[in-house]
Amino acid sequence: LRVNGSRFYRDNSMLLFPVFGRYGSVFGIVCLHNKTSPPFTEADRDLSMLIAVLGGLSIDATRLEEDFAESEKRYREVFDHSASGILLLDMTEDHRYRIAAINPALELMTGYSRAETSGKFLDEVLPAESYRQLQENYRVVRETGSAIDDEAWIEFPAGRKRVRSRIIPITDGAGKIHRLVGFPEDVTEQTESRIALQESEEKFSKAFHSSPDSIAISRLSDGIVVDINQGFTRDMGYRRDEVIGKSSLDEGIGLWVRSEQRWAFADLVAERGQVLGFEAQMRRKDGSIKESLLSASIIEFRGDRCLLTISRDITEQKQTERARRESEARYREIFENTSDGILLVEVTPEMRYRLVSINPAQERMLAVRAEEIIGKYNEDFLPPEIAERVKKHNRECVERGVPVSFEEEVELPTGRFVFTTTLVPIKDDRGRVPRLIGVTRDVTEEKLTKEREREQERQLFQASKLVSLGTL
């Protein structure tokens, strides 16, 4: 006879069955005496003594019920207040899975309520694709009889979520699996973070290895190089096996021409977290020195605090800058010391002409200080009629895009002067003329000399005519 999974034994006068304690161990045997059966025999009394030895005191049925009720209460508290989801599934003979219960945590995670799921088959609740994934896992548990861990994407009313679950089989008294218990956990955020991290690492790896710049990763503490990219080998001339595991300060690969620059660089990175645009001299494998522009950040790499250093070769750029500075110095020398006046004019979009710069010779010609007229338009410091003529010449130079020369007689506070000016258009990469350079020469004395020469020639010619007349 079997009742609720316990096996009962019966003879002519009594019914024997085991009583299980809270933790499943047998602590006694209950003997039920049939009132209609004959009285206990001596053998019955011996058996009763055996029962007393095995079970101790007689069983209090009320206490037993209280124990079961207390156990049920504790189970319900754990079930209802667990932060993890709990799913109870009853398995039918045709291997379908009926939802026996879900706890509040699982309701919150899935968006399903107990009322709409209790007693329903799982394939009636979940989308077909999600159910197929779970069904395969349940089949494995059913056939192996062992718990498994699984992770899958499942569609719920609360959204698509990544669920990690431990599935445990529950057997009956005959050892047959009749129930499954699942402990689902929402790992969507962790999964997305892991995927994002993997994608980030893949992007970093691609950027690291494909960058044309020289990139090296070295330990912050001792300068040991732990990784380099192809740009480094191409720029510095070293193979990977010649650099990895060695210090950038070692004599073998003394990358830093000046070791104090390396420590100053490392200190700056440690203090600020990153450094941009640090200039240093680096030594290639062949011994040549290059000017480098370094940028670095502190990163965690294989458990160590490391420097991620990006180096760009600016040797040619530095040479160009030096040449430009030398050229500017020569230009400035000419600009400051030439006897010809030089002025720089900005052409605005409204076709107005603003004075940007003049040299000392131009200041002397105009009898003004540069700060008095710099930034002003022609009409702000020239007489109207002269300003209009200058504007006309400026417009002609801009429209034609070729140098234009002209001569103007100007009345200044210091007297009347004659200037010859050549305007040169400065074009940008789109062919526009945003600036004009004017070179002005004071030809007043030259004009006077020529006028005197012409007057002398006229007088000589007149005298010659008088002599000829006298001779006649």
Side-chain angles (χ1 to χ4, degrees):
L1 198 53
R2 181 183 300 277
V3 178
N4 291 334
S6 297
R7 189 178 300 276
F8 292 77
Y9 301 91
R10 176 174 181 168
D11 64 4
N12 293 331
S13 60
M14 52 193 138
L15 189 65
L16 306 179
F17 64 93
V19 178
F20 292 88
R22 295 182 182 179
Y23 302 104
S25 61
V26 177
F27 67 85
I29 297 176
V30 175
C31 175
L32 298 182
H33 181 68
N34 189 343
K35 292 181 180 180
T36 61
S37 59
F40 277 178
T41 64
E42 186 175 348
D44 294 334
R45 286 193 299 272
D46 293 340
L47 181 58
S48 297
M49 291 180 66
L50 176 60
I51 292 172
V53 171
L54 293 175
L57 301 175
S58 59
I59 302 302
D60 185 344
T62 302
R63 176 62 182 275
L64 187 61
E65 290 178 1
E66 291 176 354
D67 287 345
F68 282 132
E70 181 66 23
S71 177
E72 172 68 16
K73 180 182 177 182
R74 286 196 298 270
Y75 156 75
R76 178 55 59 184
E77 288 178 349
V78 172
F79 185 82
D80 288 339
H81 296 92
S82 172
S84 301
I86 302 176
L87 169 66
L88 303 181
L89 294 174
D90 290 332
M91 190 170 67
T92 64
E93 293 294 334
D94 57 351
H95 298 154
R96 294 184 70 191
Y97 307 95
R98 182 183 287 111
I99 300 173
I102 64 174
N103 72 335
L106 191 56
E107 287 183 292
L108 182 64
M109 185 179 83
T110 63
Y112 289 115
S113 66
R114 297 187 191 187
E116 64 181 321
T117 58
S118 181
K120 290 187 177 181
F121 289 103
L122 201 60
D123 55 355
E124 297 174 338
V125 176
L126 291 178
E129 181 180 352
S130 298
Y131 175 72
R132 279 194 296 270
Q133 297 181 67
L134 296 178
Q135 186 182 35
E136 176 61 22
N137 296 330
Y138 297 158
R139 182 190 65 78
V140 174
V141 173
R142 190 178 66 245
E143 293 180 355
T144 63
S146 302
I148 67 167
D149 293 308
D150 174 65
E151 190 172 312
W153 287 100
I154 301 178
E155 291 287 347
F156 296 118
R160 185 170 183 262
K161 297 189 176 184
R162 186 73 173 179
V163 178
R164 181 185 299 145
S165 182
R166 183 163 183 79
I167 306 167
I168 301 174
I170 305 297
T171 58
D172 57 18
K176 182 179 179 181
I177 298 175
H178 71 103
R179 173 169 286 183
L180 299 178
V181 181
F183 298 92
E185 178 186 1
D186 183 2
V187 293
T188 307
E189 186 174 347
Q190 298 94 309
T191 301
E192 291 177 345
S193 298
R194 186 176 67 249
I195 292 173
L197 179 61
Q198 291 173 347
E199 291 177 349
S200 176
E201 289 177 347
E202 290 175 1
K203 290 178 182 177
F204 170 79
S205 178
K206 289 180 181 178
F208 179 81
H209 291 290
S210 62
S211 174
D213 290 330
S214 170
I215 306 179
I217 301 176
S218 60
R219 285 205 299 260
L220 189 62
S221 59
D222 54 14
I224 295 295
V225 179
V226 294
D227 203 0
I228 60 174
N229 72 338
Q230 293 180 356
F232 184 95
T233 60
R234 182 175 54 252
D235 188 28
M236 302 302 294
Y238 287 99
R239 300 190 310 271
R240 287 179 59 83
D241 60 339
E242 294 176 319
V243 176
I244 302 299
K246 298 180 181 179
S247 173
S248 59
L249 302 175
D250 288 346
E251 293 183 1
I253 56 165
L255 301 179
W256 293 80
V257 175
R258 297 165 55 194
S259 60
E260 64 271 18
Q261 282 189 328
R262 194 273 175 189
W263 294 116
F265 180 64
D267 290 342
L268 280 176
V269 177
E271 177 185 347
R272 304 175 184 176
Q274 68 173 8
V275 170
L276 302 176
F278 185 93
E279 293 188 12
Q281 291 183 321
M282 308 298 288
R283 183 182 292 106
R284 295 186 177 94
K285 182 181 178 180
D286 61 8
S288 60
I289 306 299
K290 69 163 188 168
E291 300 285 345
S292 298
L293 188 67
L294 307 179
S295 298
S297 298
I298 297 178
I299 64 171
E300 291 291 331
F301 187 77
R302 298 172 185 171
D304 291 321
R305 281 167 57 84
C306 295
L307 280 179
L308 173 66
T309 305
I310 302 175
S311 172
R312 178 165 296 179
D313 186 354
I314 58 171
T315 305
E316 184 176 347
Q317 178 182 338
K318 297 291 285 186
Q319 292 173 347
T320 302
E321 287 180 358
R322 283 194 291 270
R324 179 177 56 82
R325 285 195 297 269
E326 292 173 0
S327 176
E328 288 179 352
R330 288 193 296 269
Y331 163 76
R332 176 60 57 184
E333 186 177 352
I334 295 172
F335 183 82
E336 297 289 344
N337 297 291
T338 182
S339 59
D340 292 336
I342 301 176
L343 53 88
L344 180 63
V345 177
E346 177 190 0
V347 182
T348 69
E350 300 82 15
M351 292 298 288
R352 298 184 68 191
Y353 307 97
R354 180 167 45 221
L355 192 62
V356 175
S357 179
I358 62 173
N359 70 339
Q362 189 73 62
E363 289 182 281
R364 291 192 295 272
M365 290 180 189
L366 299 178
V368 295
R369 294 197 305 272
E371 57 267 22
E372 295 177 354
I373 59 175
I374 294 300
K376 293 184 178 181
Y377 297 97
N378 291 334
E379 55 269 27
D380 294 335
F381 62 90
L382 291 175
E385 66 278 7
I386 298 177
E388 188 60 33
R389 291 199 300 269
V390 171
K391 182 178 179 181
K392 176 183 176 182
H393 297 311
N394 289 343
R395 184 185 301 112
E396 179 185 1
C397 182
V398 172
E399 292 176 353
R400 293 177 57 189
V402 296
V404 172
S405 297
F406 58 93
E407 182 178 293
E408 290 288 346
E409 186 173 338
V410 181
E411 186 72 37
L412 296 174
T414 55
R416 180 173 292 274
F417 296 89
V418 179
F419 300 119
T420 61
T421 302
T422 299
L423 293 174
V424 180
I426 306 300
K427 297 182 180 180
D428 60 18
D429 54 0
R430 290 182 289 181
R432 297 184 309 168
V433 180
R435 285 177 299 278
L436 299 174
I437 291 180
V439 179
T440 302
R441 177 169 294 177
D442 183 357
V443 295
T444 306
E445 188 63 31
E446 182 180 341
K447 296 285 288 186
L448 291 175
T449 300
K450 287 184 178 180
E451 287 181 2
R452 285 196 292 270
E453 289 177 351
R454 285 196 296 270
E455 179 62 22
Q456 290 176 355
E457 290 177 357
R458 188 185 66 78
Q459 292 176 359
L460 289 173
F461 179 72
Q462 185 65 26
S464 175
K465 288 199 301 181
L466 292 176
V467 170
S468 297
L469 181 60
T471 302
L472 179 61

